[in-house]
Amino acid sequence: MDFAGETVRVLHVDDNSDLVDVTATVLEHEDDRLCVETATNVDAAMERLSVERFDCIVSDYDMPDQNGIEFLETVREGHGDLPFILYTGKGSEEIASDAISAGVTDYLQKGSGTEQYKLLANRICNAVEASRSRRELDERTRRLESLISSLPGMVYRRPNAPGWPMETVEGEIESLTGYTAADFETGEVVWGDDVLHPEDRDRIWETVQDALAARGEFEVTYRIITADGIEKWMWEHGHRVPGAADEPDVLEGFVMDITDLRERERKLERYKRMVNTMPESACIYDTAGRFELVNQYLASFYGTTREELEGEPSSLLPKIRSEYEGDPYQELIDGERDELRGEVSGEFPGHGYEVLEYRLTPLVIDGTVEGVVGVTREVTEQREHEMEIARQRSILKAQQEAVIDGILVVDEDDTIVSYNERFVDMWDIPRDIVERGDEEVALEWAMEQVAEPEAFRVDVEALYERPEMTARDELELADGRVFDRYTAPVVAEDGTWFGRLWTFRDITDLTEQKRELARQNERLEEFVSVVSHDLQNPLQVARSRLMLAREECDSEHLDSMDNALQRMNDIADDVLWLVREGVDIGMTEPVGLRETSDAAWTIVADGDEAAELRYVAEENREWIAEADSDRLSGLFENLFGNAIEHGGPGVTVSVGLLDDGTGFYVSDDGPGIPADEREKVFEAGYSTAEDGTGFGLRIARQIAEVHGWEIHVTDSEDGGARFEITGVEFPE
């Protein structure tokens, strides 16, 4: 949606009257579509909202009557999804997380420069455009739903995966299947597993895959079983829809009931189809033990056709007869045995070694045994799987005993089915209690050990009432110990619930360390709050006033004021970086050194056209390092900034790889750094430049250290400074 030329009415709420007026003026200056009204408290804002229409709200967070998130919740109650941007100087991950949970449209921290206003104006326009687009999309969706509701069937969207779980279904779902759309979309009912007729599943899966591979679309007929157990015939047409980005392809299509059309054909073909679609070998033997009639599955097992196999002797019957005294097959023919079942293993033509489960019964017609009906099933993989399960159980038990956690597993009947020795030791529980498997007795014993017994029982019972729930908490014991307690349901791939797993880890020492760290972090957060909120708010007001003053008059004092404000902002930014970001990194990845340094140079050397960046390239060496991309960029920015700051106009900076393969370097042809000052340059606040903050090289060292690297300074070949970063990992 393009709303160019349309007015966007914005209500800006902030208890700082100077800032709110400046923001309104600058936003309208940045984008002439914006009409910004202001309020300095939440009550005034709500009164405006009750009588006027606004397209977007921009609100501060830290206000005396209500904070920004509380204001957001009030707006959501009365004004739905009206775009709401939290624009605050007191930012943190916690505030951002709370804002997102409360349904904020966007979250933006106040900055000290005019660029932040341009960004805010853009965010406002984007939010309003998205809101208007959603309303238009809702209307289109309503029309589409009306069309679908009139179709004599159902439409769907689903992944092309075994079971064919539905993402969305619409139309006559309940009349078609007996299930609701929610049953399918939540996964409670799976089309391929719960609705599609079992005898059709393999055939339909193969038919659809072949058709998709050849044409990208398919047309099939098959049976389903409704929620009431009624069998129906379906006609389905679908096609593949490419997924977005890295998402897999999905299927979209239409399903229609054709039961009435297929009823007559079904009656004529039912016995033949039933036999030939069985996922088991089925046949009729004559009295001599030859194949009289076979299904397709049995013919496939022998690698031939039904016509070729019929009349041939069975290779299974001799193996069965060899395991019995007498002739059990003849006993079936003679009417002396009603059934013969069991397992047999051996070599079978075209298959090698197989294990077959069989069931033989007499074929009686008009009171006379005319032959034998045989059904066999390959269970080789099943038996191998059972052996593998036994092996895995042994491995699992060994793993349970090897871990430092206490482990307890309870089944769906609240019976202890597994535990390790660590669990027994941690709880000092009598072995006969866990060996009996009585979970209630074990719970009573545990209650005597914990600091708050009743709360402990309530928590455990609540978890058993919600079998799907996963939980993790800390449990204090009466003797002062603290356990990390984790519990999760034991669930099969098909969603079947088998019980609950409990693990316990003694974290007494770690808990005390965390408490001390929390106390330190609280003091650190107080410091960050002062720098971030109490300093940056007045800085932003001053920079905004300065910008407006430049438009009204020309004074030689304005540039000095701008430089002073910028230096104050740089110092604040550097201090905040060291406090908030300089202590840890996230996931690292292979990062291109040249690409990262190019981007950093573009930022730092902006305005110094004489400065030059060179690379000292070596053949057969990759410029790829394992690093945090953003932090690595910060390292280059601070080293380049130091070279330009001290090297003067036209400085040449070189980047290259160390000869010993341990890292890389950044050097310049500036005045260099005296040997007795090379360690001091990494100290916070140390600078020889009049306008330097003294934090740049400190930040560079901090970035290197959080990567596990080291940074040292020496002389460059051109007489300037050379910073060597070692300990860098280069992926092969």
Side-chain angles (χ1 to χ4, degrees):
M1 173 184 287
D2 182 6
F3 61 93
E6 297 185 25
T7 300
V8 177
R9 300 195 72 239
V10 181
L11 178 60
H12 183 200
V13 185
D14 196 311
D15 61 326
N16 188 323
S17 58
D18 289 337
L19 180 60
V20 77
D21 291 340
V22 169
T23 301
T25 302
V26 177
L27 286 177
E28 292 177 350
H29 180 269
E30 290 291 344
D31 194 321
D32 57 9
R33 293 175 298 178
L34 300 181
C35 176
V36 183
E37 303 291 335
T38 65
T40 56
N41 59 68
V42 172
D43 290 340
M46 292 305 299
E47 184 176 348
R48 295 288 296 273
L49 284 171
S50 67
V51 296
E52 298 181 56
R53 184 192 65 80
F54 289 95
D55 297 301
C56 183
I57 296 176
V58 177
S59 173
D60 189 20
Y61 172 77
D62 194 6
M63 296 184 291
D65 47 356
Q66 277 188 325
N67 65 39
I69 294 178
E70 293 170 340
F71 179 34
L72 166 62
E73 293 171 344
T74 302
V75 169
R76 285 287 176 261
E77 291 177 0
H79 300 275
D81 58 353
L82 176 65
F84 191 107
I85 298 176
L86 196 62
Y87 183 56
T88 175
K90 187 174 183 180
S92 70
E93 291 184 2
E94 181 180 358
I95 293 175
S97 176
D98 291 344
I100 293 171
S101 299
V104 73
T105 306
D106 209 339
Y107 174 87
L108 183 64
Q109 286 190 260
K110 297 175 182 176
S112 58
T114 58
E115 288 299 319
Q116 203 70 357
Y117 289 116
K118 185 176 296 183
L119 178 59
L120 177 59
N122 185 57
R123 295 282 184 89
I124 292 171
C125 291
N126 288 343
V128 173
E129 182 176 358
S131 177
R132 294 176 179 178
S133 296
R134 281 195 302 272
R135 289 197 297 269
E136 183 177 315
L137 178 61
D138 289 343
E139 176 58 25
R140 290 202 302 269
T141 301
R142 184 194 63 77
R143 293 195 296 268
L144 179 60
E145 289 175 346
S146 177
L147 173 63
I148 291 174
S149 66
S150 64
L151 293 175
M154 59 176 261
V155 294
Y156 65 81
R157 179 182 175 91
R158 70 192 184 202
N160 186 28
W164 282 321
M166 297 291 188
E167 290 183 3
T168 58
V169 290
E170 296 184 66
E172 299 178 347
I173 297 99
E174 288 195 58
S175 62
L176 203 66
T177 68
Y179 298 105
T180 66
D183 291 334
F184 290 107
E185 293 173 351
T186 61
E188 182 177 345
V189 177
V190 179
W191 186 263
D193 295 336
D194 303 318
V195 179
L196 186 62
H197 197 290
E199 296 179 7
D200 290 351
R201 290 172 189 168
D202 292 343
R203 176 180 64 85
I204 295 303
W205 172 260
E206 294 172 1
T207 302
V208 170
Q209 302 314 305
D210 291 344
L212 289 174
R215 304 182 301 278
E217 62 178 341
F218 61 90
E219 182 176 318
V220 289
T221 58
Y222 54 82
R223 293 167 294 175
I224 68 168
I225 304 297
T226 69
D228 297 330
I230 299 173
E231 181 180 304
K232 293 183 178 180
W233 275 95
M234 298 290 118
W235 172 84
E236 178 180 343
H237 180 271
H239 63 280
R240 179 190 291 112
V241 178
D246 295 331
E247 295 294 323
D249 295 349
V250 297
L251 302 181
E252 291 182 350
F254 176 72
V255 179
M256 184 172 66
D257 186 350
I258 60 168
T259 303
D260 292 341
L261 298 177
R262 294 284 300 198
E263 184 63 24
R264 180 173 297 178
E265 180 182 354
R266 187 191 68 82
K267 289 181 179 179
L268 295 174
E269 298 271 340
R270 60 182 177 179
Y271 295 113
K272 179 179 177 181
R273 183 172 298 275
M274 178 182 66
V275 171
N276 284 310
T277 58
M278 286 176 56
E280 298 174 332
S281 298
C283 67
I284 296 176
Y285 300 107
D286 63 15
T287 56
R290 295 184 298 262
F291 290 118
E292 186 173 307
L293 183 67
V294 301
N295 71 347
Q296 187 58 47
Y297 192 93
L298 179 57
S300 299
F301 179 83
Y302 279 95
T304 184
T305 64
R306 287 181 289 145
E307 291 76 14
E308 290 290 334
L309 192 58
E310 290 169 359
E312 295 295 322
S314 166
S315 59
L316 174 66
L317 294 181
K319 297 180 185 297
I320 295 176
R321 282 170 160 162
S322 68
E323 296 187 355
Y324 289 85
E325 292 183 4
D327 189 345
Y329 184 78
Q330 190 61 43
E331 292 173 2
L332 290 171
I333 298 297
D334 295 340
E336 299 173 1
R337 183 188 287 267
D338 295 329
E339 181 184 72
L340 185 65
R341 66 167 63 211
E343 286 186 8
V344 64
S345 60
E347 297 291 329
F348 289 88
H351 278 265
Y353 179 83
E354 292 283 358
V355 179
L356 300 181
E357 185 178 73
Y358 63 85
R359 180 172 181 262
L360 306 178
T361 57
L363 173 63
V364 180
I365 300 177
D366 296 331
T368 302
V369 177
E370 299 287 346
V372 172
V373 177
V375 178
T376 60
R377 183 163 59 99
E378 300 167 62
V379 294
T380 309
E381 292 184 3
Q382 179 180 336
R383 297 298 175 257
E384 292 174 350
H385 182 61
E386 290 170 354
M387 293 179 63
E388 179 63 18
I389 289 176
R391 188 178 73 87
Q392 291 293 341
R393 284 177 176 170
S394 299
I395 294 174
L396 178 60
K397 186 60 177 177
Q399 290 175 335
Q400 284 183 346
E401 297 302 334
V403 299
I404 63 173
D405 297 333
I407 298 176
L408 177 71
V409 182
V410 180
D411 67 12
E412 64 271 26
D413 297 321
D414 297 340
T415 300
I416 297 173
V417 294
S418 181
Y419 63 92
N420 65 354
E421 293 299 318
R422 178 61 175 157
F423 171 78
V424 175
D425 294 340
M426 290 177 68
W427 288 97
D428 193 25
I429 187 170
R431 189 171 300 277
D432 65 303
I433 292 179
V434 290
E435 289 180 349
R436 287 204 311 269
D438 193 330
E439 194 271 343
E440 182 63 30
V441 175
L443 177 62
E444 294 293 339
W445 176 271
M447 288 179 59
E448 298 178 4
Q449 315 296 317
V450 298
E452 298 182 9
E454 287 306 317
F456 176 78
R457 175 184 283 277
V458 170
D459 289 344
V460 172
E461 291 178 348
L463 285 165
Y464 280 118
E465 290 174 359
R466 300 180 61 186
E468 79 287 352
M469 186 174 180
T470 297
R472 186 169 199 158
D473 60 3
E474 293 183 2
L475 189 63
E476 295 188 11
L477 273 65
D479 60 8
R481 289 181 296 162
V482 179
F483 288 170
D484 174 34
R485 176 176 61 177
Y486 172 79
T487 181
V490 180
V491 183
E493 291 183 359
D494 63 358
T496 304
W497 184 74
F498 291 118
R500 181 166 290 279
L501 166 73
W502 300 85
T503 67
F504 303 90
R505 177 173 295 185
D506 192 332
I507 58 168
T508 307
D509 294 340
L510 179 60
T511 300
E512 183 55 37
Q513 295 173 7
K514 289 168 62 178
R515 289 170 179 167
E516 177 58 29
L517 180 60
R519 291 191 288 268
Q520 294 177 5
N521 287 340
E522 185 177 354
R523 294 193 294 269
L524 182 62
E525 186 60 32
E526 292 177 0
F527 168 74
V528 171
S529 177
V530 171
V531 176
S532 175
H533 185 266
D534 296 351
L535 178 59
Q536 289 192 3
N537 254 5
L539 274 175
Q540 184 176 1
V541 173
R543 292 298 295 273
S544 301
R545 291 294 184 186
L546 177 60
M547 183 194 73
L548 296 175
R550 286 186 185 277
E551 296 182 357
E552 296 177 359
C553 65
D554 185 15
S555 171
E556 63 183 9
H557 300 297
L558 296 180
D559 288 340
S560 297
M561 291 172 61
D562 192 15
N563 292 336
L565 290 171
Q566 184 60 46
R567 177 164 171 75
M568 293 172 66
N569 184 73
D570 290 344
I571 292 173
D573 287 345
D574 286 348
V575 170
L576 286 174
W577 192 97
L578 287 171
V579 171
R580 282 181 168 163
E581 301 189 46
V583 296
D584 197 6
I585 59 173
M587 296 293 291
T588 61
E589 60 184 348
V591 179
L593 293 174
R594 293 188 67 154
E595 291 81 355
T596 305
S597 59
D598 280 342
W601 181 260
T602 300
I603 296 172
V604 176
D606 185 27
D608 189 351
E609 297 181 356
E612 182 181 358
L613 175 64
R614 295 178 179 176
Y615 291 101
V616 183
E618 294 184 32
E619 296 183 359
N620 302 323
R621 292 191 67 182
E622 294 288 340
W623 289 62
I624 305 294
E626 187 73 22
D628 180 300
S629 177
D630 291 338
R631 300 296 174 86
L632 180 60
S633 179
L635 174 66
F636 279 120
E637 289 176 15
N638 281 283
L639 293 179
F640 291 162
N642 180 76
I644 293 174
E645 183 178 4
H646 294 87
V651 66
T652 297
V653 178
S654 299
V655 178
L657 301 177
L658 296 177
D659 293 337
D660 60 4
T662 62
F664 58 92
Y665 67 85
V666 176
S667 65
D668 61 61
D669 60 358
I673 301 174
D676 59 351
E677 295 185 11
R678 289 176 182 171
E679 281 302 314
K680 295 180 181 178
V681 297
F682 293 110
E683 296 177 0
Y686 181 86
S687 177
T688 59
E690 293 182 0
D691 59 348
T693 67
F695 289 101
L697 293 180
R698 174 60 181 172
I699 291 175
R701 169 172 277 186
Q702 193 79 24
I703 294 173
E705 289 179 347
V706 297
H707 279 88
W709 305 338
E710 293 185 2
I711 182 170
H712 302 284
V713 61
T714 183
D715 293 327
S716 71
E717 294 180 357
D718 298 320
R722 172 178 165 124
F723 293 88
E724 296 184 349
I725 297 88
T726 60
V728 180
E729 179 182 350
F730 293 95
E732 296 182 359

